[in-house]
Amino acid sequence: MEQRDKKPSVSVDLYEELSRLNNELANMHRELAKKNVELQDLNKTLHFLNEEKNRFLGMAVHDLRKPLAIISMYSEFLHDSLSSNLNKDNQDFIATIMSSSKTMLGTINAFLDFSKIEAGRLELQLQPTDIAIPIKNTMKLNEIFANKKNITLSYVPHDTIPKILIDGNRIEQVLDNLVSNAIKFSRTDTNITIGLDKKDGFIIISVKDEGLGIPEQEIETLFNPYEKTSVKGTSGEQSTGLGLAIAKKIVIAHKGKIWVDSTEGAGSTFSFSLPLAQPD
């Protein structure tokens, strides 16, 4: 009889413990749901504040872009048209205006482009394009900066490439970032080579320098927004930390890849691929 009397007591205790745990779990679910609603409200507020910040910054830098573009354009015109008639000091003045305005305009364009890309508004104007055109345009745009360091820019295509379907302006933007970076981190009296190859249905464009190289531990995060290498430009050039992140987004939008091979102290080779598929 004593053993039979204990069984109901055990069952009652177990039932009460399960009921207590179930109540605690229900309370936790309610608290979790409450916190989730609060988190959603906080996210909405943060999103709104972030959108307002981006809108304000976008308006500010957009208003600065036009006058800087005019300064850059006129200084380039003066350099190309009048340099031969000016003394060395005046040539240097024009070159400084041209270099500074290009740097500032590049910074503004980088912020605008990154904001647009992050908002999912990267639009590609795909056209059948001879890849040599954006490559040669980039070389011309960067020639004056390379000359200031007595750096030789060379284009070495290893394959004959048919026209490919790309946004030429956007690919030129990628190339300009890679070439200007190569100049920035190169010593005087060195070479920068733009290569062109074809492999496994893709073209491979490479920009090889003989510059300072990149520490191995920094390569993994190099294409992240606002990441800057600890290596400084050989003439004190500045960086926004956005150029490579934008270049990566553009290349990925073209169904390609971008990467770097670098040895600290011995230079870097930045490469990116683009599909070789023929345009319709």
Side-chain angles (χ1 to χ4, degrees):
M1 291 293 294
E2 293 179 359
Q3 293 179 353
R4 285 198 299 270
D5 290 339
K6 290 180 181 179
K7 290 181 180 179
S9 175
V10 171
S11 298
V12 169
D13 291 344
L14 180 60
Y15 174 78
E16 290 177 350
E17 180 65 14
L18 289 174
S19 296
R20 184 183 67 79
L21 291 174
N22 187 61
N23 288 335
E24 288 184 3
L25 184 60
N27 289 334
M28 290 175 65
H29 279 161
R30 284 193 292 270
E31 187 65 22
L32 182 61
K34 179 182 176 182
K35 294 296 183 184
N36 189 49
V37 170
E38 292 176 356
L39 183 59
Q40 289 178 354
D41 290 341
L42 179 60
N43 283 337
K44 289 178 181 178
T45 301
L46 290 174
H47 179 74
F48 172 76
L49 291 175
N50 190 55
E51 286 292 313
E52 286 297 295
K53 178 202 71 176
N54 288 339
R55 187 175 69 85
F56 175 77
L57 288 175
M59 290 171 60
V61 296
H62 187 273
D63 288 344
L64 288 171
R65 180 163 62 172
K66 186 173 181 179
L68 275 173
I70 292 172
I71 294 171
S72 180
M73 180 180 65
Y74 282 173
S75 62
E76 185 175 353
F77 170 77
L78 291 172
H79 176 269
D80 292 343
S81 303
L82 302 178
S83 284
S84 59
N85 299 321
L86 299 175
N87 61 38
K88 180 66 167 56
D89 287 342
N90 287 336
Q91 289 178 13
D92 288 343
F93 290 153
I94 293 176
T96 299
I97 294 171
M98 185 175 173
S99 176
S100 299
S101 60
K102 182 179 186 295
T103 299
M104 294 174 67
L105 186 60
T107 299
I108 284 176
N109 285 334
F111 277 113
L112 288 174
D113 275 341
F114 189 72
S115 297
K116 183 185 295 184
I117 290 169
E118 285 296 283
R121 298 197 300 271
L122 175 59
E123 298 178 359
L124 298 180
Q125 305 297 323
L126 300 176
Q127 297 290 336
T129 304
D130 180 355
I131 192 62
I133 294 175
I135 291 175
K136 292 176 180 178
N137 286 345
T138 300
M139 293 178 68
K140 184 177 185 302
L141 286 171
N142 286 278
E143 187 176 18
I144 182 175
F145 308 107
N147 289 341
K148 287 179 67 175
K149 288 186 171 183
N150 201 30
I151 292 171
T152 301
L153 290 178
S154 302
Y155 171 43
V156 183
H158 296 114
D159 281 295
T160 301
I161 306 295
K163 288 184 177 183
I164 58 174
L165 197 60
I166 59 172
D167 184 326
N169 290 329
R170 287 295 187 181
I171 294 303
E172 190 172 315
Q173 186 178 355
V174 174
L175 284 162
D176 181 63
N177 179 266
L178 299 185
V179 172
S180 62
N181 276 352
I183 295 171
K184 183 185 304 180
F185 296 108
S186 287
R187 303 176 183 89
T188 57
D189 302 310
T190 56
N191 301 292
I192 294 173
T193 304
I194 303 175
L196 179 63
D197 295 276
K198 184 169 54 177
K199 183 179 179 181
D200 300 331
F202 288 83
I203 67 166
I204 311 294
I205 302 172
S206 59
V207 178
K208 181 179 180 181
D209 64 56
E210 299 169 358
L212 303 178
I214 303 163
E216 183 178 356
Q217 67 272 18
E218 296 180 6
I219 290 178
E220 186 175 346
T221 59
L222 196 60
F223 293 94
N224 293 344
Y226 302 106
E227 288 289 340
K228 299 181 183 181
T229 177
S230 60
V231 181
K232 305 302 180 184
T234 54
S235 294
E237 299 96 332
Q238 300 297 312
S239 171
T240 63
L242 288 174
L244 289 176
I246 293 172
K248 181 179 179 179
K249 295 281 189 181
I250 293 172
V251 170
I252 289 175
H254 280 84
K255 312 300 182 186
K257 296 180 180 179
I258 188 168
W259 65 94
V260 60
D261 298 297
S262 184
T263 302
E264 191 172 5
S268 305
T269 301
F270 282 82
S271 306
F272 65 98
S273 62
L274 297 169
L276 191 57
Q278 291 292 308
D280 295 333

